[in-house]
């Protein structure tokens, strides 16, 4: 769903019961729910699943599992258990293909030190796979997306463009090197979130997924009641994605995202369409978006770089202004 439609649906839904131990619910449009268990532990719970964005079943399972775990890392938590969500057209899809999807998810979870302890499966018209992911974090270290401060610097952990690369793949126009770049970023676990959670100078954290960079940044802006200014030249695009975007590839979700929140974005008049498409491109297992104090930037970048996030960089800052995003 687009941000606008999701907000409309949630606004018409009954409110949940009040529980003082529910530290984060759906009211702030955050990445996961957080429930305080005791003074030292809070449970982080989330789920994510989708239809294939690649043809290889093993790669599909890897990407889906990485994407689901990302929301746990985005809250600053360490995942400790997962449940599989599996819907498959069993009359059309051979059992060994389904097994390869599950094996891909298992491979990622094993790398993260997370057991898949069970799950649920149904016979569905199209393949669907994902996880319910659970994590633990100290209640004081929970990183929400609505606690950014005026003067904070914005750091993005991964390059943009997974959605556009997937669109090119579906048309049979993605070269092997471009596919490898897509797979590398989409299966890179956002583990820096654990270390970032321990920094008091990191005020807000989220991951860039279905709403694209601009959509998820606007969630930070609206929740924190701040404005954001980005430098277009500093935003990292995957090199393969920039190439295929300039060739005209785009996802339908990119246009829907822009229709949903474009009124709150100021783009330079000369911004080419392909760059706007990348800014609204839905990311599958996209990068962490960090709002931190200026003095914390070297430490934040060092955490990303020490864990192999070569595209991590400063892309802008937040200020005391109306919740909008401006690009220069």
């Amino acid at each position: 769903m687009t941000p606008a439609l999701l907000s409309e649906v949630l606004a018409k839904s009954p409110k949940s019961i009040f529980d003082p131990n529910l530290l984060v619910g759906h009211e702030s449009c955050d990445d996961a729910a957080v429930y305080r268990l005791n003074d030292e532990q809070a449970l982080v719970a989330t789920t994510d699943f989708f239809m294939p964005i690649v043809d290889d079943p093993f790669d599909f399972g890897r990407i889906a599992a990485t994407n689901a775990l990302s929301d746990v890392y985005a809250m600053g938590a360490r995942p400790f258990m997962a449940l599989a969500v599996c819907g498959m057209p069993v009359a059309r899809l051979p059992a060994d293909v389904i097994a390869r999807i599950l094996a891909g998810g298992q491979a990622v979870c094993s790398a993260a030190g997370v057991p898949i302890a069970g799950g649920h499966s149904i016979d569905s018209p199209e393949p669907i796979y994902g996880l319910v992911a659970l994590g633990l974090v100290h209640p004081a270290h929970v990183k929400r997306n609505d606690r950014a401060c005026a003067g904070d610097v914005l750091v993005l952990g991964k390059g943009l463009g997974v959605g556009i690369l997937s669109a090119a793949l579906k048309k049979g126009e993605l070269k092997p090197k471009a596919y490898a770049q897509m797979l590398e970023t989409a299966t890179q676990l956002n583990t820096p979130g654990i270390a970032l959670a321990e920094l008091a100078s990191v005020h807000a954290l989220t991951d860039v997924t279905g709403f694209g960079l601009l959509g998820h940044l606007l969630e930070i802006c609206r929740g924190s009641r701040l404005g954001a200014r980005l430098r277009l030249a500093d935003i990292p695009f995957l090199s393969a994605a920039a190439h295929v975007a300039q060739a005209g590839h785009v996802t339908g979700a990119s246009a829907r995202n822009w229709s949903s929140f474009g009124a709150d974005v100021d783009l330079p008049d000369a911004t080419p369409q392909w760059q706007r498409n990348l800014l609204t491109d839905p990311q599958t297992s996209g990068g962490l978006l960090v709002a931190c104090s200026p003095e914390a930037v070297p430490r934040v970048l060092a955490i990303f770089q020490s864990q192999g996030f070569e595209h991590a960089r400063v892309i802008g800052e937040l200020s005391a202004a109306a919740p909008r995003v401006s690009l220069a």
Side-chain angles (χ1 to χ4, degrees):
M1 293 185 183
T2 64
L5 178 57
L6 182 58
S7 296
E8 180 183 353
V9 170
L10 291 177
K12 296 177 180 178
S13 300
K15 293 198 175 198
S16 177
I17 63 170
F18 173 75
D19 187 328
N21 289 311
L22 183 63
L23 303 182
V24 182
H26 67 73
E27 294 81 5
S28 61
C29 302
D30 222 317
D31 296 297
V34 183
Y35 192 89
R36 179 170 46 211
L37 300 175
N38 51 55
D39 290 343
E40 301 293 325
Q41 293 177 311
L43 176 69
V44 175
T46 184
T47 185
D48 210 319
F49 49 88
F50 48 80
M51 292 180 288
I53 66 167
V54 296
D55 296 328
D56 184 273
F58 186 78
D59 289 347
F60 168 43
R62 291 176 65 203
I63 292 170
T66 307
N67 186 69
L69 293 175
S70 181
D71 283 338
V72 175
Y73 294 122
M75 303 303 299
R78 183 184 298 275
F80 71 90
M81 188 176 75
L83 303 173
V85 178
C86 181
M88 297 290 157
V90 295
R92 295 189 290 112
L93 209 59
D96 60 337
V97 172
I98 299 174
R100 289 290 290 164
I101 294 171
L102 299 181
Q106 180 65 64
V108 163
C109 287
S110 293
V114 177
I116 298 180
H120 186 64
S121 61
I122 62 169
D123 187 356
S124 63
E126 298 292 337
I128 297 171
Y129 178 71
L131 301 175
V132 174
L134 303 175
L136 289 172
V137 63
H138 192 289
H141 293 165
V142 174
K143 295 301 179 184
R144 300 173 57 120
N145 68 356
D146 61 354
R147 295 292 189 267
C149 302
D152 275 354
V153 173
L154 293 166
V155 178
L156 180 61
K158 290 185 182 182
L160 302 177
V162 169
I164 284 176
L165 291 175
S166 177
L169 177 66
K170 290 175 182 177
K171 293 183 177 180
E173 298 181 26
L174 194 67
K175 295 181 179 179
K177 286 187 177 179
Y179 181 79
Q181 187 180 47
M182 171 188 169
L183 189 61
E184 180 182 17
T185 188
T187 58
Q188 187 175 27
L189 290 163
N190 276 321
T191 51
I194 299 171
L196 293 171
E198 298 179 2
L199 302 181
S201 48
V202 170
H203 301 135
L205 190 62
T206 191
D207 61 344
V208 179
T209 51
F211 301 158
L213 171 63
L214 295 182
H216 290 286
L217 176 54
L218 276 168
E219 288 182 334
I220 289 179
C221 291
R222 290 166 180 162
S224 307
R225 299 181 181 180
L226 299 171
R229 185 170 181 82
L230 303 181
R231 291 174 294 277
L232 192 55
D234 292 337
I235 297 174
F237 298 137
L238 297 172
S239 58
H243 177 75
V244 300
Q246 291 177 69
H249 292 284
V250 65
T251 65
S254 179
R256 292 192 294 272
N257 280 340
W258 181 257
S259 296
S260 178
F261 54 68
D264 292 328
V265 178
D266 299 313
L267 282 173
D269 293 338
T271 304
Q273 183 65 41
W274 69 268
Q275 284 189 330
R276 195 187 84 175
N277 292 342
L278 280 167
L279 294 170
T280 56
D281 187 46
Q283 303 302 285
T284 302
S285 190
L288 295 175
L289 180 60
V290 185
C292 65
S293 59
E295 61 270 18
V297 170
R299 179 61 181 147
V300 168
L301 289 176
I303 288 172
F304 276 116
Q305 290 161 3
S306 68
Q307 298 189 39
F309 287 75
E310 61 181 26
H311 289 98
R313 65 190 64 177
V314 173
I315 62 170
E317 54 276 325
L318 297 165
S319 63
R324 297 183 62 83
V325 176
S326 300
L327 290 100

